[in-house]
Amino acid sequence: MITDNNQERTRNDPPEVLGRVGLLKDAKYYLDMCEFEPKKAPQIPMGRFFKPILNQFEAFQPPLVPETPQNIITPSKEVAEYDARQQAVTELKPASVPVSSEVAQYEASVRAARQQVAAAESEVAVSPEVAEYAASVGDSAAGYVQPTETLSSESSELDQDAILASIYKMHDGKTQDGSIF
Amino acid sequence: MFQKLLHGITGQRSEQRHADLYRNLIRHEARIGSTVFGPVPKGHRREFFCLDARTWVWHEEWKDDKGKYQIRTTRYDVRPDGILKSQNGHYQKVPVAEAKRLRQAANVYIDRVNHEMYNGLIA
């Protein structure tokens, strides 16, 4: 029943044939629609929409941060007055503080007494025995302790070995559990 | 009563005739489909056909080196998110490469049966 007209053919072909034709069309459709490949990310038209935005981000430069924030902060009148007072207080020196005449007289007497004590100490006389003993002992008389030969490094190592042996019970350079110390 | 019985027999014969015709169409498609993958090796019997809109069947029979008869039937189940392959009751997802080859073979199959059997009815 082959004619040039598809509608004519569908009317004359047996239903089994039409059934197979429809089934094969469906099979082709399902195969084409089957997404057995991983989906690809959609292509974004970067040049048209997003590139200008990206260019703006790239061209953006952050403003310079002032090194001293005080330069851009204007204090209030009260704060400025307080800062001025604090500055004046810190710049005060003891010499500039006026004192009363009684205090000045007292300080002068103290200074004179200290000078007299210093002069008296330098003129203290010692007995001949004391002077002779001081000359014989030299610097050791001043109480300094000089290092001696008995504190050599060798003796200190011996002491350390003895201490370690007493702690770890060493035998032939090994500890009791056999590990090399 | 006789008319009713006669009508039942003819009805059964008509249904049987329709079923036989449908099976014959599939058998003929399967013979065409067997050549989609190239020449069939000697001693092999191969069939490849569309069972229904979502199922494709590849049937192969042959004798191995020891002369033992071997049969392998592979069913491909086409689903929206992939293709499942069933062999001896075991299902597994078809790799992308095999799925691509199956789709290519199915398209060749449809083109050939369209021209050799259905005279271009499949658009």
Side-chain angles (χ1 to χ4, degrees):
Chain A
M1 296 295 176
I2 301 172
T3 64
D4 292 335
N5 190 336
N6 280 342
Q7 290 183 348
E8 184 69 18
R9 284 192 299 180
T10 54
R11 276 198 295 270
N12 296 327
D13 284 326
E16 292 77 13
V17 171
L18 299 179
R20 284 301 295 175
V21 168
L23 185 144
L24 289 172
K25 284 182 180 177
D26 291 344
K28 183 176 174 61
Y29 171 79
Y30 288 133
L31 269 174
D32 290 340
M33 291 296 107
C34 176
E35 294 180 348
F36 49 77
E37 288 184 274
K39 285 184 177 178
K40 293 179 181 177
Q43 297 295 321
I44 301 173
M46 293 289 288
R48 187 175 176 187
F49 296 106
F50 290 95
K51 202 165 183 179
I53 299 174
L54 289 175
N55 289 339
Q56 288 181 7
F57 274 107
E58 290 173 358
F60 175 74
Q61 295 292 333
L64 292 175
V65 179
E67 295 179 357
T68 53
Q70 290 81 4
N71 292 341
I72 59 172
I73 299 174
T74 304
S76 64
K77 182 181 176 183
E78 290 77 12
V79 172
E81 290 176 355
Y82 174 80
D83 288 343
R85 284 199 300 272
Q86 287 296 107
Q87 186 70 18
V89 169
T90 55
E91 289 178 354
L92 282 177
K93 295 179 181 177
S96 64
V97 177
V99 295
S100 62
S101 59
E102 290 79 8
V103 172
Q105 187 176 357
Y106 169 75
E107 287 180 349
S109 64
V110 168
R111 280 196 294 272
R114 285 178 178 169
Q115 289 175 358
Q116 289 177 2
V117 169
E121 286 178 346
S122 62
E123 294 176 356
V124 172
V126 294
S127 63
E129 294 78 10
V130 172
E132 184 180 358
Y133 174 75
S136 63
V137 299
D139 292 337
S140 62
Y144 297 115
V145 177
Q146 298 295 328
T148 60
E149 299 267 335
T150 56
L151 293 176
S152 64
S153 58
E154 184 180 358
S155 62
S156 65
E157 286 178 1
L158 289 172
D159 292 340
Q160 289 175 358
D161 288 344
I163 293 170
L164 292 174
S166 65
I167 295 173
Y168 297 103
K169 296 180 180 177
M170 289 178 68
H171 300 286
D172 297 333
K174 294 183 179 180
T175 56
Q176 199 169 29
D177 60 356
S179 61
I180 298 174
F181 190 70
Chain B
M1 180 69 182
F2 179 75
Q3 288 290 335
K4 190 177 179 181
L5 186 61
L6 184 62
H7 182 72
I9 292 172
T10 55
Q12 287 178 357
R13 284 181 179 174
S14 176
E15 290 178 1
Q16 185 67 32
R17 189 166 54 84
H18 288 308
D20 289 343
L21 177 57
Y22 194 83
R23 274 197 296 272
N24 286 335
L25 287 172
I26 293 179
R27 287 196 186 103
H28 196 69
E29 288 181 18
R31 278 197 294 273
I32 295 173
S34 68
T35 60
V36 166
F37 303 97
V40 181
K42 189 178 180 181
H44 281 234
R45 177 170 173 261
R46 178 182 295 169
E47 291 177 344
F48 177 72
F49 60 95
C50 180
L51 183 63
D52 58 47
R54 292 182 180 273
T55 308
W56 293 81
V57 176
W58 180 8
H59 180 83
E60 190 105 4
E61 299 176 11
W62 74 99
K63 285 186 179 178
D64 60 12
D65 298 339
K66 298 177 181 177
K68 190 177 180 182
Y69 198 65
Q70 299 286 343
I71 299 175
R72 185 176 61 193
T73 302
T74 306
R75 285 174 41 162
Y76 293 95
D77 187 9
V78 180
R79 300 188 177 189
D81 58 344
I83 299 175
L84 286 181
K85 181 166 70 173
S86 167
Q87 283 180 325
N88 301 325
H90 297 289
Y91 283 85
Q92 58 179 327
K93 187 148 187 172
V94 173
V96 174
E98 186 177 349
K100 283 182 177 178
R101 287 196 294 269
L102 174 66
R103 184 162 64 184
Q104 187 179 1
N107 286 330
V108 173
Y109 168 92
I110 291 172
D111 286 342
R112 290 192 57 182
V113 299
N114 187 30
H115 288 97
E116 295 181 21
M117 292 177 61
Y118 304 121
N119 299 312
L121 276 177
I122 305 171

